[in-house]
Amino acid sequence: IVPTPLTRTLVVNGETRTVTVADDGEQLLYILRNQIDQRGPKFGCGVSQCGSCSVLIDGQIRRSCVTPLRTVPEGASVTTLDGLGTNGSLHPLQRAFIEEQAAQCAFCVNGIVMGAAGWLQQRKDSGVTSVPSREEVAGFLSGEEPGSDDNYICRCGAHLRMIRAIRKAAEEILS
């Protein structure tokens, strides 16, 4: 297969960025990290199983390690952990994760925070404004809750604190 060069303009964390790749199949994760200097998304498994590479593309949760640039629409809005907050303020999820000490090594935190941000916003957009139960959050993290097609893996076992943090942030996000 002959690589196809591609230039695409994206809005990354509110800033218009134009990227060029030699192969339009290059994964968004590498473009974000190597060309746009975003450090939130991490390479974990490379096969969409762990979630550490999660970003929001036009508000939808996507695994950037398996998202070729050619599949990202021209002008798409890409939000990473680096740009989740606004005007220099932390996003409610970022604040809650700090307050609840919901990370140990923090490798998975990008994916869990970004996934939860997308999931909670989807709930709000669909009219669901109740704070999710512990069971619903656990279902989201395991990929078993409606609206969660993927699971999120934490090797450290900080899930109980993460569930508390997500529920705490949901009180603000969904109000």
Side-chain angles (χ1 to χ4, degrees):
I1 299 175
V2 177
T4 304
L6 178 65
T7 297
R8 177 120 324 146
T9 300
L10 306 171
V11 180
V12 179
N13 299 326
E15 183 181 330
T16 301
R17 302 293 301 261
T18 300
V19 295
T20 300
V21 293
D23 181 351
D24 66 353
E26 185 170 342
Q27 304 305 327
L28 181 60
L29 173 64
Y30 304 119
I31 296 162
L32 289 170
R33 290 186 61 83
N34 299 333
Q35 290 191 35
I36 307 179
D37 200 32
Q38 298 297 297
R39 295 298 174 230
K42 306 278 189 267
F43 180 87
C45 65
V47 292
S48 189
Q49 296 298 306
C50 72
S52 61
C53 66
S54 296
V55 298
L56 301 178
I57 300 176
D58 293 331
Q60 299 299 307
I61 306 164
R62 294 280 293 274
R63 302 285 170 103
S64 64
C65 75
V66 295
T67 302
L69 182 60
R70 71 174 165 265
T71 67
V72 180
E74 176 71 22
S77 173
V78 179
T79 306
T80 72
L81 185 66
D82 306 272
L84 190 58
T86 55
N87 301 323
S89 297
L90 294 175
H91 185 276
L93 279 161
Q94 292 168 315
R95 236 182 1 264
F97 266 66
I98 292 167
E99 290 168 3
E100 295 296 325
Q101 298 181 2
Q104 287 181 9
C105 81
F107 197 83
C108 65
V109 170
N110 172 80
I112 293 171
V113 168
M114 294 307 298
W119 179 60
L120 291 172
Q121 190 59 52
Q122 289 168 3
R123 286 175 64 94
K124 186 174 184 174
D125 292 348
S126 69
V128 177
T129 57
S130 61
V131 173
S133 68
R134 287 192 318 245
E135 293 76 18
E136 287 173 305
V137 176
F140 162 74
L141 293 173
S142 68
E144 296 174 3
E145 181 69 18
S148 177
D149 297 326
D150 296 307
N151 63 327
Y152 297 85
I153 297 174
C154 169
R155 294 183 240 181
C156 299
H159 281 91
L160 294 178
R161 288 176 285 173
M162 291 176 182
I163 289 170
R164 280 196 310 267
I166 292 168
R167 294 188 74 229
K168 183 177 195 171
E171 292 174 8
E172 183 177 342
I173 295 168
L174 298 174
S175 64

